[in-house]
Amino acid sequence: ETGVTQTPRHLVMGMTNKKSLKCEQHLGHNAMYWYKQSAKKPLELMFVYNFKEQTENNSVPSRFSPECPNSSHLFLHLHTLQPEDSALYLCASSQEATGGANYGYTFGSGTRLTVV
Amino acid sequence: GNSVTQMEGPVTLSEEAFLTINCTYTATGYPSLFWYVQYPGEGLQLLLKATKADDKGSNKGFEATYRKETTSFHLEKGSVQVSDSAVYFCALNIQGAQKLVFGQGTRLTINP
């Protein structure tokens, strides 16, 4: 158990579907992150939330919509995705966004997304 | 800017071999340095870290020393096992910055 739980583990969706990824942590952390991991590409930071406020959007297309209702939960809402959006989506948390320098991140196991 | 460069993979070794995975960095401030490991089908796990020059991080037989003079943080293990097969990521974070900067990852395969 990593302390960060992501659901579902696997998701197959059509390009016209709407789905959501969920991330939950009970580590008392105040910062949460979405990363995209594609084959043969470096990890791409998508969004940063610090104390429930979005503090970074790394030029992510609007078909990805994050939501952070509280410091323990983070969602990624998906709609009208493209096949190239197929990837492993990783959620992470840290004590606070600027605290990652000393404490590092705790990652979830990821959601393997396939867009057909 | 801040960046991390890792040695190209994949790396394939026999069990009990000595492992080195090179990592060098470029940073505008004074970074903390990390190694993460990703086992098949899993997310990333923090393996070890070092927060200042000359610190040595160690865990599970792996170690890495923060070398400011060569801007490096190479990962080493004296005797690898099949269970060490995974992808290894070097990363840095600048104090006050909001995000970890990752290298591209190095896939390690250990054969029995």
Side-chain angles (χ1 to χ4, degrees), chain B residues 49-104:
Chain B
K49 66 179 182 181
T51 57
K52 62 183 187 298
D54 299 326
D55 271 0
K56 177 184 285 187
S58 61
N59 186 26
K60 299 181 180 180
F62 291 90
E63 57 182 35
T65 301
Y66 188 141
R67 302 286 189 198
K68 186 178 177 183
E69 62 277 12
T70 54
T71 62
S72 64
F73 192 55
H74 304 323
L75 183 68
E76 296 182 336
K77 186 174 185 182
S79 177
V80 292
Q81 305 300 313
V82 173
S83 57
D84 294 326
S85 298
V87 181
Y88 292 81
F89 293 88
C90 186
L92 69 81
N93 184 270
I94 301 295
Q95 188 68 38
Q98 289 204 87
K99 60 185 181 183
L100 282 175
V101 176
F102 286 92
Q104 72 271 33

